Amino acid sequence: LARYWTKREEMFGERAFSDGAFTSPTYNDYLRYYAKCEKAVVDCELDDTMRSIARDYLTCVNTTKLIALDQVIENHAAMEDSAAYLKVVQRRGVIMSDEMKLLFLKREDFFEVKAAARIMAYWKFKKLLFGEEEYHKDVTLDVIDTDRNRFVRLLPETDDSGRTIMVICVNELEKDGWTDNSIVRHLNASLDMSMSA
Protein backbone atom coordinates (compact mmCIF):
# COMPACT_ATOMS: atom_id res chain seq x y z
CA LEU A 1 0.00 0.00 0.00
CA ALA A 2 2.84 2.38 0.83
CA ARG A 3 4.42 1.63 -2.56
CA TYR A 4 1.12 2.45 -4.30
CA TRP A 5 0.95 5.89 -2.69
CA THR A 6 4.63 6.54 -3.41
CA LYS A 7 4.16 5.72 -7.10
CA ARG A 8 0.96 7.73 -7.21
CA GLU A 9 2.75 10.76 -5.74
CA GLU A 10 5.54 10.35 -8.31
CA MET A 11 2.98 10.40 -11.13
CA PHE A 12 0.61 13.12 -9.92
CA GLY A 13 2.59 15.16 -7.42
CA GLU A 14 0.44 16.92 -4.82
CA ARG A 15 -2.72 16.05 -6.79
CA ALA A 16 -2.18 12.39 -5.82
CA PHE A 17 -3.79 13.08 -2.44
CA SER A 18 -6.75 15.11 -3.72
CA ASP A 19 -10.20 13.68 -4.43
CA GLY A 20 -10.28 14.89 -8.05
CA ALA A 21 -7.05 13.22 -9.19
CA PHE A 22 -8.93 10.85 -11.46
CA THR A 23 -11.86 11.65 -13.72
CA SER A 24 -14.96 9.51 -13.76
CA PRO A 25 -14.94 6.83 -16.43
CA THR A 26 -16.94 7.47 -19.60
CA TYR A 27 -19.22 5.03 -21.38
CA ASN A 28 -16.46 4.33 -23.90
CA ASP A 29 -14.11 3.47 -21.03
CA TYR A 30 -16.57 0.80 -19.93
CA LEU A 31 -16.80 -0.54 -23.48
CA ARG A 32 -13.00 -0.72 -23.70
CA TYR A 33 -12.85 -2.49 -20.34
CA TYR A 34 -15.46 -5.01 -21.53
CA ALA A 35 -13.37 -5.72 -24.64
CA LYS A 36 -10.25 -6.16 -22.47
CA CYS A 37 -12.13 -8.59 -20.23
CA GLU A 38 -13.24 -10.64 -23.24
CA LYS A 39 -9.59 -11.00 -24.23
CA ALA A 40 -8.47 -11.66 -20.65
CA VAL A 41 -10.85 -14.61 -20.21
CA VAL A 42 -9.02 -16.57 -22.93
CA ASP A 43 -5.52 -15.25 -22.21
CA CYS A 44 -3.47 -18.22 -20.95
CA GLU A 45 -0.70 -15.94 -19.73
CA LEU A 46 -2.93 -14.36 -17.07
CA ASP A 47 -3.36 -16.10 -13.74
CA ASP A 48 -6.64 -17.71 -12.70
CA THR A 49 -7.59 -14.81 -10.42
CA MET A 50 -7.39 -12.22 -13.23
CA ARG A 51 -9.33 -14.45 -15.62
CA SER A 52 -11.94 -15.03 -12.90
CA ILE A 53 -12.32 -11.26 -12.31
CA ALA A 54 -12.75 -10.70 -16.06
CA ARG A 55 -15.27 -13.56 -16.33
CA ASP A 56 -17.28 -12.19 -13.38
CA TYR A 57 -17.39 -8.73 -14.94
CA LEU A 58 -18.57 -10.11 -18.29
CA THR A 59 -21.23 -12.23 -16.59
CA CYS A 60 -22.48 -9.24 -14.60
CA VAL A 61 -22.68 -6.92 -17.63
CA ASN A 62 -24.19 -9.58 -19.91
CA THR A 63 -26.86 -10.60 -17.39
CA THR A 64 -27.84 -7.01 -16.66
CA LYS A 65 -27.99 -5.99 -20.31
CA LEU A 66 -29.94 -9.11 -21.36
CA ILE A 67 -32.56 -8.44 -18.69
CA ALA A 68 -32.82 -4.80 -19.82
CA LEU A 69 -33.08 -5.86 -23.48
CA ASP A 70 -35.91 -8.30 -22.70
CA GLN A 71 -37.75 -5.53 -20.83
CA VAL A 72 -37.39 -3.14 -23.77
CA ILE A 73 -38.75 -5.80 -26.15
CA GLU A 74 -41.68 -6.51 -23.80
CA ASN A 75 -42.48 -2.81 -23.39
CA HIS A 76 -42.48 -2.22 -27.14
CA ALA A 77 -44.66 -5.20 -28.04
CA ALA A 78 -47.10 -2.91 -29.79
CA MET A 79 -44.48 -1.62 -32.24
CA GLU A 80 -45.12 -2.63 -35.83
CA ASP A 81 -41.63 -4.08 -36.32
CA SER A 82 -41.93 -6.31 -33.25
CA ALA A 83 -44.85 -8.27 -34.70
CA ALA A 84 -42.71 -10.85 -36.51
CA TYR A 85 -40.54 -11.53 -33.47
CA LEU A 86 -43.42 -11.72 -31.00
CA LYS A 87 -45.42 -13.97 -33.32
CA VAL A 88 -42.54 -16.44 -33.38
CA VAL A 89 -42.21 -16.37 -29.60
CA GLN A 90 -45.94 -16.72 -28.91
CA ARG A 91 -46.97 -19.25 -31.57
CA ARG A 92 -43.92 -21.41 -31.93
CA GLY A 93 -42.16 -20.98 -28.62
CA VAL A 94 -38.93 -20.05 -30.38
CA ILE A 95 -36.88 -17.62 -28.36
CA MET A 96 -33.57 -16.09 -29.38
CA SER A 97 -30.66 -17.45 -27.40
CA ASP A 98 -28.79 -15.17 -25.05
CA GLU A 99 -25.71 -15.55 -27.25
CA MET A 100 -27.62 -14.22 -30.24
CA LYS A 101 -29.06 -11.33 -28.24
CA LEU A 102 -25.55 -10.46 -27.06
CA LEU A 103 -24.46 -10.18 -30.69
CA PHE A 104 -27.11 -7.51 -31.23
CA LEU A 105 -26.20 -5.77 -27.97
CA LYS A 106 -22.49 -5.71 -28.80
CA ARG A 107 -23.22 -4.36 -32.28
CA GLU A 108 -25.12 -1.46 -30.71
CA ASP A 109 -22.55 -0.80 -27.94
CA PHE A 110 -24.92 -2.31 -25.35
CA PHE A 111 -27.67 0.28 -25.89
CA GLU A 112 -30.75 -1.87 -25.27
CA VAL A 113 -33.21 0.24 -27.26
CA LYS A 114 -30.99 0.22 -30.36
CA ALA A 115 -30.36 -3.52 -29.99
CA ALA A 116 -34.11 -4.17 -29.64
CA ALA A 117 -34.81 -2.14 -32.80
CA ARG A 118 -32.13 -4.12 -34.66
CA ILE A 119 -33.63 -7.43 -33.45
CA MET A 120 -37.09 -6.37 -34.63
CA ALA A 121 -35.68 -5.36 -38.02
CA TYR A 122 -33.84 -8.70 -38.20
CA TRP A 123 -37.04 -10.71 -37.69
CA LYS A 124 -39.03 -8.49 -40.02
CA PHE A 125 -36.44 -8.94 -42.79
CA LYS A 126 -36.10 -12.67 -42.11
CA LYS A 127 -39.88 -13.01 -42.49
CA LEU A 128 -39.66 -11.08 -45.76
CA LEU A 129 -36.84 -13.31 -47.04
CA PHE A 130 -38.18 -16.72 -46.08
CA GLY A 131 -41.93 -16.26 -45.76
CA GLU A 132 -44.43 -16.88 -42.98
CA GLU A 133 -43.81 -20.62 -42.64
CA GLU A 134 -40.01 -20.66 -42.71
CA TYR A 135 -38.69 -17.53 -41.03
CA HIS A 136 -38.76 -18.93 -37.49
CA LYS A 137 -36.41 -21.80 -38.38
CA ASP A 138 -32.63 -21.76 -38.20
CA VAL A 139 -31.42 -20.99 -41.69
CA THR A 140 -27.97 -21.90 -42.96
CA LEU A 141 -26.41 -21.59 -46.40
CA ASP A 142 -26.97 -25.33 -46.89
CA VAL A 143 -30.72 -24.86 -46.48
CA ILE A 144 -31.15 -21.91 -48.85
CA ASP A 145 -32.29 -22.95 -52.31
CA THR A 146 -30.34 -26.12 -52.97
CA ASP A 147 -31.87 -26.43 -56.41
CA ARG A 148 -30.58 -24.88 -59.64
CA ASN A 149 -31.91 -21.42 -58.65
CA ARG A 150 -29.79 -21.13 -55.52
CA PHE A 151 -27.84 -18.21 -57.02
CA VAL A 152 -30.75 -15.85 -57.60
CA ARG A 153 -33.92 -15.72 -55.60
CA LEU A 154 -36.96 -13.49 -56.00
CA LEU A 155 -38.59 -12.84 -52.65
CA PRO A 156 -42.31 -13.47 -52.25
CA GLU A 157 -42.99 -9.93 -50.99
CA THR A 158 -42.00 -6.46 -52.13
CA ASP A 159 -40.18 -3.66 -50.31
CA ASP A 160 -41.98 -0.65 -48.80
CA SER A 161 -42.09 1.04 -52.22
CA GLY A 162 -43.63 -1.97 -53.96
CA ARG A 163 -40.45 -3.05 -55.75
CA THR A 164 -39.52 -6.69 -56.24
CA ILE A 165 -36.64 -7.83 -54.08
CA MET A 166 -33.98 -10.09 -55.55
CA VAL A 167 -31.26 -11.81 -53.52
CA ILE A 168 -28.11 -12.75 -55.43
CA CYS A 169 -25.49 -15.08 -53.94
CA VAL A 170 -22.40 -14.11 -55.91
CA ASN A 171 -20.16 -16.16 -53.60
CA GLU A 172 -22.02 -19.31 -54.60
CA LEU A 173 -21.44 -18.52 -58.27
CA GLU A 174 -17.74 -17.93 -57.70
CA LYS A 175 -17.44 -21.25 -55.85
CA ASP A 176 -18.72 -23.03 -58.94
CA GLY A 177 -16.03 -21.40 -61.11
CA TRP A 178 -18.07 -18.62 -62.68
CA THR A 179 -16.07 -15.70 -64.02
CA ASP A 180 -17.02 -12.07 -63.45
CA ASN A 181 -18.21 -11.84 -67.07
CA SER A 182 -20.45 -14.91 -66.83
CA ILE A 183 -21.88 -13.69 -63.50
CA VAL A 184 -22.81 -10.34 -65.08
CA ARG A 185 -24.48 -12.10 -68.04
CA HIS A 186 -26.38 -14.40 -65.68
CA LEU A 187 -27.55 -11.49 -63.56
CA ASN A 188 -28.65 -9.54 -66.62
CA ALA A 189 -30.65 -12.53 -67.81
CA SER A 190 -32.16 -12.96 -64.34
CA LEU A 191 -33.12 -9.29 -64.18
CA ASP A 192 -34.67 -9.52 -67.62
CA MET A 193 -36.73 -12.54 -66.55
CA SER A 194 -37.82 -10.85 -63.34
CA MET A 195 -38.90 -7.70 -65.21
CA SER A 196 -41.05 -9.74 -67.55
CA ALA A 197 -42.64 -11.77 -64.76
Side-chain angles (χ1 to χ4, degrees):
L1 190 60
R3 185 168 184 254
Y4 164 78
W5 284 104
T6 304
K7 290 293 183 186
R8 183 169 165 161
E9 186 176 13
E10 286 174 14
M11 288 181 75
F12 298 104
E14 286 299 315
R15 285 185 350 162
F17 305 105
S18 67
D19 288 337
F22 298 105
T23 59
S24 298
T26 65
Y27 193 77
N28 286 332
D29 292 331
Y30 287 112
L31 292 176
R32 279 193 294 277
Y33 185 68
Y34 184 93
K36 283 183 181 180
C37 287
E38 281 187 313
K39 291 177 184 173
V41 168
V42 295
D43 188 350
C44 297
E45 293 181 11
L46 291 177
D47 63 10
D48 291 340
T49 304
M50 294 305 289
R51 285 199 305 268
S52 176
I53 290 170
R55 192 176 303 109
D56 290 346
Y57 178 78
L58 293 175
T59 302
C60 180
V61 170
N62 291 347
T63 303
T64 304
K65 289 296 185 175
L66 286 168
I67 290 169
L69 176 64
D70 288 338
Q71 288 174 346
V72 169
I73 291 172
E74 263 183 51
N75 293 341
H76 292 86
M79 289 174 27
E80 182 182 329
D81 287 350
S82 65
Y85 174 70
L86 294 172
K87 195 171 187 180
V88 168
V89 172
Q90 291 167 353
R91 289 195 179 167
R92 299 200 170 79
V94 176
I95 300 175
M96 290 178 74
S97 67
D98 287 346
E99 291 79 17
M100 191 167 179
K101 289 178 186 175
L102 277 172
L103 291 175
F104 287 95
L105 279 165
K106 288 176 185 177
R107 176 66 182 92
E108 295 297 342
D109 290 336
F110 290 95
F111 287 109
E112 302 89 11
V113 174
K114 289 182 176 182
R118 186 175 286 273
I119 288 171
M120 297 309 120
Y122 165 82
W123 282 103
K124 184 178 177 183
F125 190 70
K126 193 170 178 187
K127 183 179 177 185
L128 178 71
L129 277 176
F130 302 107
E132 183 73 31
E133 295 303 315
E134 300 293 323
Y135 80 99
H136 65 282
K137 298 178 182 176
D138 287 334
V139 180
T140 62
L141 287 176
D142 298 333
V143 176
I144 299 174
D145 283 341
T146 54
D147 64 352
R148 62 184 175 85
N149 290 325
R150 69 178 185 220
F151 310 125
V152 178
R153 178 179 178 150
L154 290 176
L155 299 183
E157 297 182 27
T158 60
D159 68 3
D160 294 337
S161 300
R163 297 174 292 210
T164 301
I165 301 172
M166 179 188 294
V167 177
I168 302 164
C169 301
V170 176
N171 290 343
E172 288 293 318
L173 293 168
E174 289 174 346
K175 282 185 208 172
D176 286 353
W178 288 53
T179 64
D180 288 344
N181 196 22
S182 59
I183 291 173
V184 169
R185 281 187 303 190
H186 179 74
L187 295 178
N188 282 334
S190 299
L191 285 170
D192 187 46
M193 289 187 323
S194 67
M195 300 289 258
S196 62

